[in-house]
């Protein structure tokens, strides 16, 4: 296929009755899918959507999202997905910021231009305009960042970005027409769109969209749907590992599981693979890089504790504070160059110029390459703790905590200290049924870490705060510990 936007038409010609996309409500073959796309394009066109416009989509995970995505692209318009549980103010901000022509929602939501059933529901095929000639440099997706530092920014990904990313993933994961992805991540995030929908459809495979993720129901869906892979974040794998030991699901259809969004502790990878017999392929990337930049090779060797090697077609390097590339083994900021790097932040030239310098996407992540060329992430630059002038990376402490058999998840942040400036504080979720207290975990840290890196307090908690994509929300954790610290040292 020449272009991702041609997927519906090409698939309908190639195999009209072959399965294409499904969700909890219905299943569409290729022929039905392209009819839905054409009809949705006609409805959007009738509501004023033209080439260069933006369609805002406020939907939960459902196949109509994908129908509307291709319908907008058919008209030469871009799509900006909005987190479905956003407040009215949050939706208004994004809609106004991206200057959306129409807003498609579900269930009569306030601020809607169109209800999803009007645009992409089942019904008679409606004739619409011919498919637009898509300019590779035209905006395809406008994905909003989680906004942990100020207002969310719109990441503009053009059609060339999307096409390059999908081609890279299809090649790296060796996807083909026998692949069937199970989407469990939210469709308002680029990982859900690119890894679990566009790439398998481009490869001739199929996709099933699951609703809201439930750890207890997940393997029942796997047994019923029989996918070949799914993509998740570390929190999802932690929840699955925490399921009762008595459950022994049939995972034989799964060739691999993919993990991204945040580094996954090697111990958690081992627990999942040992218990469920499914290999985890860990990767790394950003929305600004259209999703993925490195990947542990599915054919091996996979190296837990790393996020793999650069994807073919991308250059990943490590730079020092002066913008010089440093040799392998030296830590610095991870920078990325390739056809997948975003066009920029919508309407924010200064932020764009700060993030993309001479073609290099500056990630804000600290990392280094090991002797085999695998990227090891050290931490986020902004998460670094400075204790009495000493730089401490929370991830090092978290890795030590994860090595304790009673620890399921751990998150470390800096807490204010009147003398030292900052001190490390840990929040830990234990394995179900595990018996361990904070003092045990502090002692465990003391055996491995230098004194300055040992957490001054460890709080055992039932859950860690998360952002909408499932990453641990360290900003909320820092707010929790800012007021008072109970020291255990």
């Amino acid at each position: 296929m020449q272009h991702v936007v041609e997927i519906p038409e090409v698939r309908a010609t190639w195999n009209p009755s072959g399965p294409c996309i499904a969700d909890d409500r219905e299943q569409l073959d290729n022929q039905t899918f392209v009819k839905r796309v054409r009809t949705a394009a006609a409805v959007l066109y009738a509501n004023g959507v033209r080439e260069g416009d933006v369609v805002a989509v406020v939907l939960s995970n459902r196949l109509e999202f994908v129908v509307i995505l291709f319908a907008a692209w058919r008209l030469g318009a871009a799509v900006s997905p909005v987190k479905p549980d956003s407040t009215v103010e949050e939706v208004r901000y994004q809609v106004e910021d991206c200057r959306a022509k129409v807003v498609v929602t579900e269930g009569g939501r306030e601020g809607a231009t169109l209800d999803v059933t009007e645009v992409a529901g089942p019904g008679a095929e409606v004739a619409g305009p011919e498919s637009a000639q898509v300019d590779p440099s035209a905006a395809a997706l406008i994905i909003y960042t989680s906004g942990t530092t100020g207002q969310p920014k719109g990441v503009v990904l053009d059609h060339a970005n999307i096409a390059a990313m999908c081609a890279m993933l299809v090649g790296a994961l060796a996807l083909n027409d026998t692949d069937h992805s199970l989407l469990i991540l939210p469709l308002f995030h680029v990982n859900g769109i690119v890894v679990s929908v566009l790439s398998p459809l481009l490869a001739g495979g199929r996709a099933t969209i699951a609703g809201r993720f439930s750890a207890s129901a997940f393997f029942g869906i796997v047994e019923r749907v029989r996918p070949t892979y799914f993509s998740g974040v570390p929190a999802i794998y932690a929840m699955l590992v925490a399921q009762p030991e008595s459950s022994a699901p049939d995972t034989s259809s799964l060739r691999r599981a993919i993990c991204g969004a945040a580094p996954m502790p090697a111990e958690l990878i081992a627990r999942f693979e040992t218990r469920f017999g499914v290999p985890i392929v860990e990767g790394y990337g950003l929305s600004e890089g259209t999703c993925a930049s490195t990947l542990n090779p599915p054919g091996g060797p996979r190296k837990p504790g790393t996020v793999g090697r650069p994807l073919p077609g991308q250059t990943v390097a490590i730079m020092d504070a002066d913008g010089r590339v440093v040799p392998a083994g030296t830590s610095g900021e991870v920078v990325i160059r390739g056809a997948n790097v975003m066009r920029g932040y919508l309407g924010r030239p200064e932020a764009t110029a700060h993030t993309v310098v001479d073609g290099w996407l500056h990630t804000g992540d600290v990392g280094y390459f090991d002797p085999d060329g695998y990227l090891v992430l050290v931490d986020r630059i902004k998460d670094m703790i400075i204790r009495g002038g000493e730089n401490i990376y929370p991830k090092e402490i978290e890795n030590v905590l994860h090595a304790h058999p009673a620890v399921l998840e751990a998150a470390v942040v800096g807490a204010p200290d009147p003398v030292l400036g900052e001190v490390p504080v840990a929040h830990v979720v234990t394995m179900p049924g595990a018996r361990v207290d904070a003092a045990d975990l502090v002692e465990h840290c003391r055996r491995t870490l230098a004194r300055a890196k040992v957490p001054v307090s460890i709080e055992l908690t039932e859950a860690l705060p998360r952002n909408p994509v499932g990453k641990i929300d360290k900003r909320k954790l820092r707010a929790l510990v800012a007021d008072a610290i109970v020291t255990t040292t």
Side-chain angles (χ1 to χ4, degrees), residues 425-437:
V425 173
H427 289 70
V428 168
V429 179
T430 59
M431 291 290 290
R435 297 195 173 193
V436 68
D437 60 26

Side-chain angles (χ1 to χ4, degrees), residues 212-234:
R212 187 177 288 273
F213 175 76
S214 161
S216 59
F218 174 74
F219 285 114
I221 298 172
V222 168
E223 291 177 338
R224 176 173 57 83
V225 172
R226 308 290 296 164
T228 58
Y229 77 94
F230 68 93
S231 179
V233 296

Side-chain angles (χ1 to χ4, degrees), residues 58-321:
V58 194
L59 294 177
S60 56
N61 275 17
R62 51 193 295 172
L63 64 78
E64 289 92 343
F65 180 104
V66 184
V67 171
I68 293 165
L69 181 71
F70 280 105
W73 288 350
R74 186 180 173 87
L75 299 175
V79 168
S80 187
V82 184
K83 186 163 66 80
D85 61 354
S86 297
T87 64
V88 173
E89 290 74 22
E90 288 169 335
V91 174
R92 184 181 297 119
Y93 166 78
Q94 183 168 330
V95 167
E96 290 177 355
D97 190 67
C98 72
R99 298 180 180 175
K101 187 79 171 184
V102 298
V103 182
V104 183
T105 69
E106 56 195 332
R109 186 182 176 120
E110 184 180 338
T113 311
L114 291 164
D115 187 84
V116 63
T117 54
E118 299 174 66
V119 186
E125 185 177 356
V126 180
E130 286 298 306
S131 194
Q133 269 299 113
V134 174
D135 179 356
S137 66
L141 284 171
I142 304 173
I143 303 286
Y144 277 74
T145 63
S146 53
T148 52
T149 52
Q151 288 279 37
K153 299 187 288 288
V155 175
V156 181
L157 303 174
D158 61 26
H159 285 281
N161 292 149
I162 302 292
M165 187 78 264
C166 288
M168 290 172 189
L169 287 169
V170 169
L173 293 169
L175 299 179
N176 59 39
D177 59 1
T178 67
D179 271 295
H180 179 184
S181 83
L182 176 62
L183 170 74
I184 54 174
L185 292 175
L187 270 170
F188 61 80
H189 191 260
V190 71
N191 187 316
I193 296 171
V194 172
V195 178
S196 296
V197 177
L198 297 182
S199 293
L201 293 187
L202 181 66
R206 56 192 286 214
T208 294
I209 298 170
R212 187 177 288 273
F213 175 76
S214 161
S216 59
F218 174 74
F219 285 114
I221 298 172
V222 168
E223 291 177 338
R224 176 173 57 83
V225 172
R226 308 290 296 164
T228 58
Y229 77 94
F230 68 93
S231 179
V233 296
I236 283 174
Y237 293 100
M239 285 186 269
L240 294 174
V241 165
Q243 289 300 294
E245 287 286 351
S246 56
S247 64
D250 177 4
T251 60
S252 59
S253 70
L254 289 168
R255 298 169 186 168
R256 69 187 78 82
I258 300 167
C259 185
M264 187 162 169
E267 289 77 15
L268 183 55
I269 292 175
R271 285 172 183 165
F272 182 89
E273 292 185 342
T274 301
R275 180 166 171 191
F276 299 113
V278 180
I280 290 179
V281 176
E282 192 179 9
Y284 160 75
L286 295 82
S287 298
E288 290 87 341
T290 324
C291 183
S293 289
T294 67
L295 195 71
N296 266 284
R302 290 176 296 116
K303 296 182 71 171
T306 79
V307 289
R309 292 171 167 161
L311 286 169
Q314 295 189 50
T315 305
V316 181
I318 308 296
M319 280 187 181
D320 62 19

